[in-house]
């Protein structure tokens, strides 16, 4: 009685998640194939796939993906660096927190898209304004995550560091950094998610390449298959980069005694 | 020698936790500090450790004033407080970062052997039982060879059997280098098993009430009549420290009174 469900869950759990989208996709494919719908506004999977293949063959796809990846990558790095630095400063020095945090929280309350006109005026229509917008999106979750993590480091663990007379830098390196690492990884993943969100907004404002451009282009030329193709690629890239962060940090977080580990994670 | 002179601590909220506590503790002596809750035991220990500064009065170790954590003073807390991201071996070696790696490894290996956890060197703290984790904490505090080791109710979270086992183990480890041990406890049994001298404190504000020398040879037999009579002495003193009426000594010796909090 105990063996069967565990074997089922081991192999069937990932498959279970695929059941719904696969059924819907195959169902729609079948509906179009049987002529119940012409599939013009909602293209069947085969047509989306064909569009992707065509884009890939012409070299267009690589160019668009490269442009988007470059923007997300650079915006993410800038946002992470700024968020980590300011978050660490605000978490570590209470004076800096009282000075900085109210302003940053007020800025956070502004929907980031509202910056777009200003960024275009300041930084021009090309790459700089796009990357700035993405960096802003990434900055806030990373800043909040780092500051919150530092503020919630267990006083008892810090006392162990004090007992062994760690200097300031040693306390940061040997106690604070490892203690905030799990929360930091989460904030990186949230930040990356927002980076992907904002790259679309950024590419809506006058781009000539990038996956967001494919979306706009598909809308203006009435090519829904191209829109869905771009969405699918966004999904794949988003999941892939998130997974990269997860994989890269697994060796650093092996020590965690967490609920998720026992359950086999997400 | 560790000298405490008129050590007082008043917290910012006005609570007077400790009032003019004085004591002199010889090198290698084992002292237990016992008392009702709120008698300032932990406050006193934190002042000796240099974690909190006394409001007035001085703590000196061999004529050196202690106002911040000192290399010659180690502490073991009620919880093991192991660093969860370090293996058991790295936790034990935490205070030895200044030593060359080979020397550190040797010391850690000997300490692991000594606390009987050699097979757990590479384990994570989360994989240890409560007693094993506290053994690692003991090893971590002892491995830099402190002259004074402070223990803040170190065994109170463990079951009775493990507690006994660790008490004996602690004495065994103490015999290696004979540091001064200052042990805060609720447990009269523990105080009498371990200590050369029991300091009884009295609450609100915390101050020294009584001292009882335990002139018993080691190893001590927990079931001997002499052991019992020392226990009764401590219990009677504790009762008086709380201004309880003590009709006669036998009445205070109920089974429920072996633990105090």
């Amino acid at each position: 009685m105990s063996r069967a469900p565990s074997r089922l869950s081991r192999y069937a759990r990932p498959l279970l998640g695929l059941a719904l989208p696969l059924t819907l996709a195959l169902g729609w494919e079948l509906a179009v194939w049987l002529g119940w719908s012409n599939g013009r506004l909602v293209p069947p999977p085969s047509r989306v796939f064909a569009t992707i293949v065509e884009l890939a063959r012409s070299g267009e796809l690589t160019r668009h993906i490269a442009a988007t990846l470059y923007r997300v990558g650079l915006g993410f790095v800038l946002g992470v660096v700024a968020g980590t630095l300011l978050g660490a400063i605000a978490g570590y020095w209470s004076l800096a927190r009282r000075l900085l945090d109210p302003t940053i929280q007020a800025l956070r309350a502004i929907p980031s898209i509202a910056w777009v006109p200003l960024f275009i005026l300041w930084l021009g229509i090309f790459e700089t304004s796009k990357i700035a917008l993405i960096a802003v999106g990434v900055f806030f979750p990373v800043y909040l995550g780092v500051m919150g993590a530092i503020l919630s480091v267990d006083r008892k663990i810090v006392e162990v560091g004090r007992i062994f007379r760690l200097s300031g830098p040693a306390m940061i390196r040997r106690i604070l950094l490892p203690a905030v690492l799990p929360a930091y990884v989460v904030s990186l993943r949230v930040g990356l998610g927002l980076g992907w969100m904002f790259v679309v907004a950024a590419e809506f404002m006058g781009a000539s390449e990038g996956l967001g451009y494919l979306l706009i282009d598909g809308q203006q030329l009435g090519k829904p298959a191209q829109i869905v193709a771009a969405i699918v690629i966004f999904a794949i890239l988003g999941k892939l980069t998130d997974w990269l962060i997860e994989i890269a940090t697994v060796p650093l977080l092996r020590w965690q005694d967490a609920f998720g580990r026992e359950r086999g994670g997400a | 020698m560790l000298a405490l002179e008129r050590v007082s601590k008043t917290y910012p909220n006005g609570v007077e936790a400790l009032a003019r506590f004085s004591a002199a503790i010889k090198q290698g002596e084992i002292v237990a500090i016992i008392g009702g809750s709120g008698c300032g035991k932990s406050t006193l220990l934190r002042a000796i450790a240099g974690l909190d500064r006394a409001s007035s009065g001085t703590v000196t170790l061999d004529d050196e004033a202690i106002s911040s954590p000192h290399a010659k003073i180690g502490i073991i807390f009620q919880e093991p407080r192991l660093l969860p991201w370090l293996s058991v071996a790295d936790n034990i070696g935490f205070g030895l970062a200044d030593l060359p790696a080979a020397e550190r490894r040797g010391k850690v290996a000997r300490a692991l052997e000594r606390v009987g956890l050699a097979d757990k060197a590479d384990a994570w703290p989360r994989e240890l039982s409560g007693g094993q984790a506290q053994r690692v904490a003991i090893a971590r505090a002892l491995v830099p060879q402190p002259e004074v080791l402070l223990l803040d109710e170190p065994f109170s979270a463990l079951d009775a059997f493990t507690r006994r086992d660790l008490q004996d183990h602690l004495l065994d480890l103490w015999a290696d280098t004979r540091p001064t041990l200052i042990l805060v406890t609720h447990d009269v049994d523990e105080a009498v098993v371990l200590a050369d001298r029991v300091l009884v404190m009295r609450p609100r504000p915390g101050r020294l009430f009584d001292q009882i020398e335990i002139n018993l040879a080691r190893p001590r037999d927990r079931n001997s009549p002499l052991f019992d009579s020392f226990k009764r002495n401590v219990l009677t003193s504790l009762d008086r420290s709380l201004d309880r009426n003590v009709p006669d000594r036998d009445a205070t010796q109920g089974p429920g009174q072996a633990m105090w909090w």
Side-chain angles (χ1 to χ4, degrees):
Chain A
M1 190 180 151
S2 65
R3 192 171 287 179
S6 78
R7 189 180 296 165
L8 176 89
S9 64
R10 184 158 174 200
Y11 297 108
R13 205 186 283 157
L15 296 180
L16 222 52
L18 284 175
L20 184 64
L22 273 184
T23 310
L24 286 176
L26 286 175
W28 187 240
E29 185 74 50
L30 201 67
V32 174
W33 187 67
L34 290 173
W36 295 346
S37 162
N38 61 14
R40 204 177 59 78
L41 282 177
V42 185
S46 60
R47 214 173 294 165
V48 173
F49 185 70
T51 308
I52 294 178
V53 170
E54 194 184 314
L55 281 168
R57 200 170 292 154
S58 65
E60 288 282 282
L61 190 63
T62 326
R63 187 166 66 89
H64 293 304
I65 287 179
T68 297
L69 272 181
Y70 167 76
R71 288 171 188 144
V72 173
L74 196 55
F76 179 69
V77 168
L78 290 174
V80 165
V81 169
T84 306
L85 279 179
L86 285 178
I89 291 170
Y92 197 69
W93 284 300
S94 54
L95 179 67
R97 181 165 61 255
R98 284 191 204 109
L99 213 61
L100 282 176
D101 194 51
T103 310
I104 294 178
Q105 297 296 348
L107 289 176
R108 192 170 73 95
I110 301 169
S112 303
I113 307 289
W115 292 108
V116 167
L118 207 54
F119 281 175
I120 291 179
L121 277 184
W122 285 348
L123 306 168
I125 192 78
F126 300 110
E127 292 304 302
T128 321
S129 58
K130 294 183 177 56
I131 288 163
L133 180 66
I134 296 166
V136 166
V138 173
F139 170 81
F140 288 109
V142 174
Y143 167 81
L144 276 184
V146 170
M147 185 181 72
I150 292 179
L151 288 178
S152 60
V153 169
D154 191 355
R155 176 190 57 81
K156 293 178 171 175
I157 292 281
V158 175
E159 261 176 19
V160 172
R162 289 184 57 203
I163 280 296
F164 286 105
R165 299 176 321 289
L166 296 188
S167 61
M171 184 71 103
I172 291 174
R173 186 171 54 83
R174 300 182 67 192
I175 304 273
L176 292 180
L177 275 186
V180 304
L181 200 58
Y184 187 54
V185 170
V186 171
S187 73
L188 287 184
R189 293 173 68 179
V190 174
L192 183 67
L194 281 172
W196 280 108
M197 207 163 109
F198 279 82
V199 78
V200 177
E203 288 178 344
F204 277 0
M205 52 192 203
S208 55
E209 54 182 3
L211 292 169
Y213 163 78
L214 278 186
L215 292 173
I216 290 287
D217 186 61
Q219 180 218 324
Q220 286 169 347
L221 300 182
K223 295 190 281 191
Q226 183 179 315
I227 298 178
V228 179
I231 289 176
V232 168
I233 293 169
F234 266 126
I236 292 171
L237 288 179
K239 182 68 196 167
L240 212 64
T241 47
D242 182 62
W243 180 73
L244 277 181
I245 295 187
E246 206 186 336
I247 293 291
T249 52
V250 159
L252 299 173
L253 298 178
R254 259 179 316 157
W255 51 271
Q256 267 194 305
D257 190 6
F259 174 70
R261 287 180 69 94
E262 304 291 315
R263 301 302 201 78
Chain B
M1 187 169 92
L2 184 75
L4 308 169
E5 256 172 79
R6 301 173 66 80
V7 177
S8 304
K9 176 79 185 178
T10 308
Y11 283 105
N13 62 9
V15 174
E16 196 179 9
L18 198 60
R20 295 173 301 284
F21 187 100
S22 296
I25 296 162
K26 291 192 295 286
Q27 182 59 40
E29 192 178 359
I30 304 180
V31 173
I33 299 174
I34 200 165
S37 58
C39 71
K41 310 185 289 273
S42 291
T43 305
L44 179 67
L45 214 62
R46 292 178 63 87
I48 302 173
L51 286 173
D52 291 335
R53 203 173 290 202
S55 310
S56 67
T58 54
V59 179
T60 53
L61 176 63
D62 301 331
D63 300 322
E64 193 181 343
I66 304 293
S67 58
S68 60
H70 192 282
K72 290 181 183 167
I73 302 177
I75 186 166
I76 295 167
F77 298 99
Q78 187 173 359
E79 328 78 25
R81 298 198 188 182
L82 303 182
L83 304 177
W85 52 83
L86 295 181
S87 69
V88 166
D90 288 342
N91 262 291
I92 293 178
F94 189 78
L96 302 177
D98 297 338
L99 296 183
E103 194 181 342
R104 182 171 66 232
R105 265 197 298 277
K107 286 196 175 203
V108 168
R110 276 195 298 282
L112 273 166
E113 200 71 52
R114 201 69 187 79
V115 294
L117 290 171
D119 55 328
K120 297 280 184 193
D122 297 321
W124 297 111
R126 66 181 153 87
E127 295 163 332
L128 302 178
S129 69
Q132 288 171 334
Q134 199 58 299
R135 270 172 209 255
V136 174
I138 293 174
R140 176 177 68 183
L142 279 174
V143 100
Q145 301 196 330
E147 283 179 21
V148 177
L149 184 62
L150 310 171
L151 302 102
D152 189 1
E153 300 180 29
F155 309 132
S156 62
L158 304 172
D159 62 88
F161 179 76
T162 311
R163 192 184 308 145
R164 254 180 195 220
D165 193 39
L166 278 188
Q167 285 162 358
D168 294 342
H169 197 78
L170 178 71
L171 280 178
D172 189 33
L173 292 172
W174 169 80
D176 288 350
T177 56
R178 297 197 168 239
T180 308
L181 295 189
I182 302 177
L183 167 89
V184 160
T185 183
H186 288 307
D187 183 342
V188 175
D189 241 69
E190 182 165 287
V192 177
V193 165
L194 296 176
D196 299 315
R197 178 155 58 120
V198 178
L199 305 183
V200 180
M201 289 183 71
R202 161 171 216 179
R204 280 174 292 275
R207 56 209 187 277
L208 185 60
F209 175 72
D210 195 9
Q211 303 197 33
I212 297 158
E213 303 273 344
I214 311 288
N215 298 313
L216 272 172
R218 293 195 173 91
R220 291 174 181 169
D221 178 3
R222 288 178 172 84
N223 301 316
S224 73
L226 207 54
F227 187 90
D228 260 355
S229 81
F230 276 112
K231 239 169 79 179
R232 230 170 298 145
N233 284 348
V234 175
L235 277 167
T236 313
S237 173
L238 259 174
D239 269 334
R240 281 213 218 89
S241 79
L242 297 170
D243 294 326
R244 299 229 176 116
N245 293 323
V246 188
D248 67 319
R249 284 190 155 198
D250 285 334
T252 65
Q253 222 266 318
Q257 282 178 296
M259 296 282 284
W260 270 82
W261 45 67

